[in-house]
């Protein structure tokens, strides 16, 4: 088991520096253009594929880093470059993780390569879970999957929303209800192969931030997928549903924790790392500006009002990174989140990103409010971190329930 350390080893430092160089040389110069266009930055994704960043191999290497720091380190550097473009690069990973977590070896080997394509023809994938009436309340999901035993096919109907790469993806991973009486424990995940009839893109959202990342509704109308597209297979699903029914009937069974929620808890530090990257980028712009901008005959950083803000910004960023690294290390080494450490890291880092980027705009004054400087875009991008992968309110609820053991509502 890897011991917790704040010192990156030589290999990790090499990867960090490589990613930082790509973020500085490729992502940042393109950030303003693709934010204005509000389109998927295919040329940048292709560049990432050419150098090996946009690939399953790269993310697998970081995911299996025994210290747990590979993924948060990668997320921080890429999102330091630009949140919208970075999300376009890493968004496919959401679907890939869904297959890795629930699929068979055959499904993993078949579908994940199709999610990425290759450097000559890059592809993307979409993970479709949220619905118009089921965001934080996953138990309210309405998309249904019904098994047609005669044809060994599953028939999917419903509408998904807020899907990164939804509708433009080569492969969609869709979460659907297979047993409505079990609530969130009656869900299963399905692969929808490319070109499957009945799947279409609904509304594409025009967003406040992360505008280079494609976000849309996915409409499913009598979408038929082969039985082998059920992640994990039907035998495993039947066993899981049977256990869930037994627990539901047992005294106190309704309080058994949903396995999907545990997965979300483990993935939240990665989102925290994204927020750290955006916050750090805004802080660095504000620091450089404060050193060079003069008012009343001296740099504005000479004023306590500015200097103290920068001190607080840096302190919150470093504290956020420590929480993210702790949770990532715990997840990698199998230590349970007895105090909801995953949610703690995501909550604090996401709130920090909003606060730090707002302070950066303030330090730049009128310039910070214009698109001539990047902090305006960073401030817009930061707003998403307190919303997706569980809102700040949900994180606080998870933490409070974990600490108290009570069903706080």
């Amino acid at each position: 088991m890897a011991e917790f350390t704040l010192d990156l080893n030589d290999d990790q430092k090499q990867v960090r520096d490589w990613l930082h160089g790509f973020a500085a040389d490729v992502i940042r110069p393109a950030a303003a253009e693709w934010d204005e266009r509000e389109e998927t930055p295919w040329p940048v994704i292709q560049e990432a594929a050419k150098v090996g960043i946009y690939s399953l191999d790269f993310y697998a290497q970081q995911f299996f880093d025994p210290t747990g720091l590979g993924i948060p380190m990668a997320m921080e550097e890429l999102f330091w470059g630009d949140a919208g473009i970075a999300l376009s690069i890493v968004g496919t990973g959401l679907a890939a993780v869904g297959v890795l977590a629930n699929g068979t070896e055959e499904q993993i080997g078949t579908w994940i390569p199709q999610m990425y394509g290759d450097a000559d023809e890059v592809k993307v994938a979409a993970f479709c879970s949220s619905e118009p009436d089921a965001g934080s309340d996953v138990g309210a999901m309405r998309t249904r999957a019904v098994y047609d035993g005669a044809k060994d096919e599953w028939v999917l109907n419903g509408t998904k929303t807020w899907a990164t790469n939804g509708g433009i993806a080569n492969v969609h991973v869709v979460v659907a209800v297979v047993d409505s009486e079990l609530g969130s424990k009656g869900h299963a995940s399905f692969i929808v192969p490319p070109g499957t009839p009945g799947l279409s893109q609904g509304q594409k959202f025009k967003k406040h931030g992360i505008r280079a990342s494609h976000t849309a509704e996915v409409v499913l109308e009598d979408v038929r997928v082969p039985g082998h597209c059920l992640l994990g297979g039907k035998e495993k699903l039947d066993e899981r549903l049977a256990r869930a029914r037994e627990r539901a009937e047992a005294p106190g069974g309704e309080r058994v924790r949903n396995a999907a929620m545990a997965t979300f808890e483990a993935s939240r530090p990665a989102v925290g790392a994204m927020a750290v990257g955006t916050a750090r980028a805004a802080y660095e712009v504000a620091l450089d500006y404060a050193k060079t901008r003069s008012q009343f005959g001296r740099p504005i950083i000479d004023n306590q009002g500015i200097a103290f803000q920068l001190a607080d910004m840096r302190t919150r960023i470093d504290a956020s990174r420590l929480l993210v690294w702790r949770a990532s290390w715990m997840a990698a080494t199998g230590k349970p989140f007895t105090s909801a450490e995953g949610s703690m890291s995501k909550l604090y880092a996401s709130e920090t990103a909003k606060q730090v980027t707002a302070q950066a705009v303030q330090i730049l004054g009128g310039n910070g409010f214009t698109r001539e400087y990047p902090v305006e875009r960073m401030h817009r991008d930061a707003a998403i971190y307190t919303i997706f992968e569980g809102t700040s309110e949900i994180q606080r609820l998870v933490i409070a329930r974990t600490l108290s053991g009570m069903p706080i509502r």
Side-chain angles (χ1 to χ4, degrees):
M1 181 181 293
E3 294 297 325
F4 182 70
T5 177
L6 299 177
D7 292 324
L8 299 178
N9 59 42
D10 290 341
D11 288 342
Q12 291 169 327
K13 289 177 182 177
Q14 259 190 332
V15 172
R16 180 199 61 193
D17 294 345
W18 172 52
L19 290 171
H20 186 80
F22 184 84
D25 298 339
V26 180
I27 294 178
R28 279 207 167 175
E33 175 188 352
W34 291 100
D35 177 73
E36 291 286 349
R37 292 174 63 166
E38 297 191 57
E39 297 174 359
T40 301
W42 292 108
V44 183
I45 299 174
Q46 189 167 38
E47 286 300 310
K50 287 179 179 178
V51 299
I53 294 173
Y54 185 73
S55 69
L56 174 62
D57 288 344
F58 171 73
Y59 288 106
Q61 289 173 12
Q62 304 316 308
F63 182 80
F64 290 111
D65 181 334
T67 69
L69 302 185
I71 289 294
M73 180 186 64
M75 294 300 107
E76 179 177 340
E77 293 305 327
L78 291 173
F79 280 74
W80 172 88
D82 177 69
I85 291 178
L87 189 56
S88 290
I89 293 172
V90 306
T92 292
L94 299 172
V97 168
V99 176
L100 284 169
N102 302 298
T104 64
E105 290 186 10
E106 183 178 358
Q107 289 170 331
I108 292 169
T110 299
W111 295 112
I112 292 184
Q114 295 187 48
M115 293 179 175
Y116 287 92
D118 55 43
D120 294 324
E121 188 177 5
V122 294
K123 304 289 186 182
V124 294
F127 183 74
C128 308
S129 179
S130 294
E131 297 184 0
D133 296 318
S136 298
D137 183 9
V138 294
M141 190 177 294
R142 295 181 179 178
T143 297
R144 295 289 187 267
V146 178
Y147 184 59
D148 182 347
K151 296 183 178 180
D152 186 27
E153 292 179 339
W154 289 89
V155 185
L156 279 61
N157 282 282
T159 299
K160 294 296 181 178
T161 194
W162 311 123
T164 299
N165 299 329
I168 67 170
N170 194 50
V171 176
H172 291 76
V173 177
V174 177
V175 182
V177 178
V178 294
D179 189 329
S180 58
E181 294 182 358
L182 292 175
S184 61
K185 298 177 182 64
H187 297 173
S189 296
F190 299 85
I191 291 285
V192 180
T196 300
L199 184 147
S200 62
Q201 179 183 308
Q203 175 186 7
K204 178 187 175 183
F205 296 103
K206 295 181 72 67
K207 305 189 298 295
H208 176 65
I210 55 168
R211 301 199 303 194
S213 174
H214 176 96
T215 309
E217 290 181 330
V218 174
V219 180
L220 305 147
E221 298 179 305
D222 291 329
V223 173
R224 286 183 168 268
V225 299
H228 61 76
C229 287
L230 166 64
L231 289 181
K234 194 167 187 305
E235 182 177 347
K236 184 177 178 181
L237 172 65
D238 290 341
E239 292 174 356
R240 179 167 62 80
L241 294 177
R243 289 196 302 271
R245 293 187 190 102
E246 290 176 2
R247 289 172 175 173
E249 294 170 359
E254 69 280 1
R255 291 191 294 273
V256 174
R257 193 176 184 194
N258 186 301
M261 295 301 100
T263 301
F264 288 143
E265 172 76 354
S267 69
R268 282 167 178 157
V271 180
M274 298 174 188
V276 171
T278 300
R280 187 183 114 211
Y283 159 76
E284 289 176 0
V285 173
L287 178 63
D288 289 343
Y289 186 88
K291 289 178 178 179
T292 57
R293 171 70 168 173
S294 291
Q295 290 289 283
F296 306 104
R298 62 181 183 179
I300 62 174
I301 199 170
D302 283 357
N303 300 304
Q304 280 190 1
I306 300 297
F308 284 8
Q309 282 194 73
L310 289 163
D312 288 343
M313 292 159 73
R314 177 59 184 267
T315 300
R316 286 189 64 100
I317 291 167
D318 283 12
S320 297
R321 185 183 298 107
L322 285 170
L323 285 169
V324 166
W325 282 22
R326 179 185 69 167
S328 301
W329 171 75
M330 290 177 68
T333 55
K335 294 186 180 297
F337 289 162
T338 55
S339 299
E341 286 86 354
S343 284
M344 283 184 182
S345 68
K346 196 270 184 184
L347 170 65
Y348 194 79
S350 61
E351 297 283 350
T352 290
K354 286 186 69 173
Q355 180 174 324
V356 166
T357 55
Q359 288 176 294
V361 170
Q362 188 69 24
I363 289 171
L364 269 67
N367 286 326
F369 200 65
T370 71
R371 295 189 182 180
E372 297 301 313
Y373 288 80
V375 292
E376 174 271 341
R377 184 181 68 251
M378 295 167 181
H379 183 43
R380 287 188 285 107
D381 291 342
I384 194 59
Y385 297 125
T386 61
I387 298 172
F388 71 179
E389 194 75 12
T391 64
S392 288
E393 291 76 18
I394 288 296
Q395 307 306 326
R396 291 186 172 95
L397 186 62
V398 169
I399 295 166
R401 284 178 174 175
T402 302
L403 296 177
S404 69
M406 301 298 289
I408 298 168
R409 298 186 181 279

